[in-house]
Amino acid sequence: MKIVIIYLLLSTTSAVVVGQEVVKPDNSQKNDRDKYLHEYTAQEQGKSKEDNDLTRRIRLEIVKDKNLSIYAKNIKVITMNGQVTLKGPVRSSEEVRTIMLKAQTIAGTSSVLNQMEIAPKIKK
C-alpha cells in the first residue's frame, strides 16, 4: 500500500495556474543541458542496493514533509557510489536547507552535493 501511494505522489504531474492559463513545469531544457555538461542525470542513478536504498530513504523524507512545495518534492535525488546529488528547482532557500538537512542526516554531511536552484516567483 505504501509503495502505491508513494508512486502516485511521485508520478503525478503538477501545474500552476497563472491568470486564466495553466502552466505546467517544464525542465526539458535543463535536463538536456545536464546531459551535455557531463552532470549526473536521473538515468545514471547507481544500481547498487546501497545507492538505491539511500535514494529511497531521502526521497521518502522529502515527500512526507507537508511544508515542502511540489517543486521541492519533485527534485532529483541521484546517488552514485554513496555520493548523493540533489538537483532541480525549489521555491525558497528554506526548502534548500530543509532538503539538505534531510539528505545529510541520512547520507552523511560530506556525501551530499547541492545542485538545487530557487525557482523564480510566479507573477500573478
Side-chain angles (χ1 to χ4, degrees):
M1 180 68 168
K2 286 183 181 179
I3 294 173
V4 173
I5 292 169
I6 292 167
Y7 175 77
L8 290 174
L9 285 171
L10 296 177
S11 66
T12 58
T13 57
S14 59
V16 176
V17 178
V18 179
Q20 297 294 322
E21 182 181 353
V22 175
V23 180
K24 292 183 179 180
D26 184 2
N27 291 332
S28 299
Q29 289 178 336
K30 290 182 182 181
N31 292 341
D32 287 342
R33 173 199 69 192
D34 290 349
K35 282 191 296 194
Y36 299 109
L37 291 178
H38 305 290
E39 293 188 22
Y40 288 141
T41 61
Q43 291 80 11
E44 294 169 331
Q45 164 69 33
K47 304 297 185 223
S48 74
K49 182 181 182 310
E50 294 81 10
D51 284 347
N52 287 325
D53 185 56
L54 273 177
T55 297
R56 179 187 57 77
R57 290 172 47 211
I58 293 167
R59 170 69 56 209
L60 284 173
E61 286 300 312
I62 292 169
V63 170
K64 75 179 185 181
D65 188 332
K66 294 180 181 178
N67 295 315
L68 293 175
S69 69
I70 291 296
Y71 275 78
K73 291 181 181 192
N74 284 318
I75 66 158
K76 294 175 182 81
V77 179
I78 306 162
T79 309
M80 292 278 297
N81 303 318
Q83 176 68 43
V84 178
T85 302
L86 304 169
K87 61 184 353 181
V90 297
R91 282 290 178 205
S92 67
S93 57
E94 182 60 35
E95 286 190 331
V96 170
R97 282 190 294 276
T98 299
I99 293 168
M100 283 295 293
L101 181 59
K102 290 177 185 302
Q104 289 173 335
T105 299
I106 293 168
T109 304
S110 63
S111 297
V112 181
L113 177 63
N114 175 14
Q115 291 185 351
M116 292 177 281
E117 51 199 56
I118 299 171
K121 301 248 187 257
I122 299 171
K123 296 179 183 177
K124 296 182 179 184

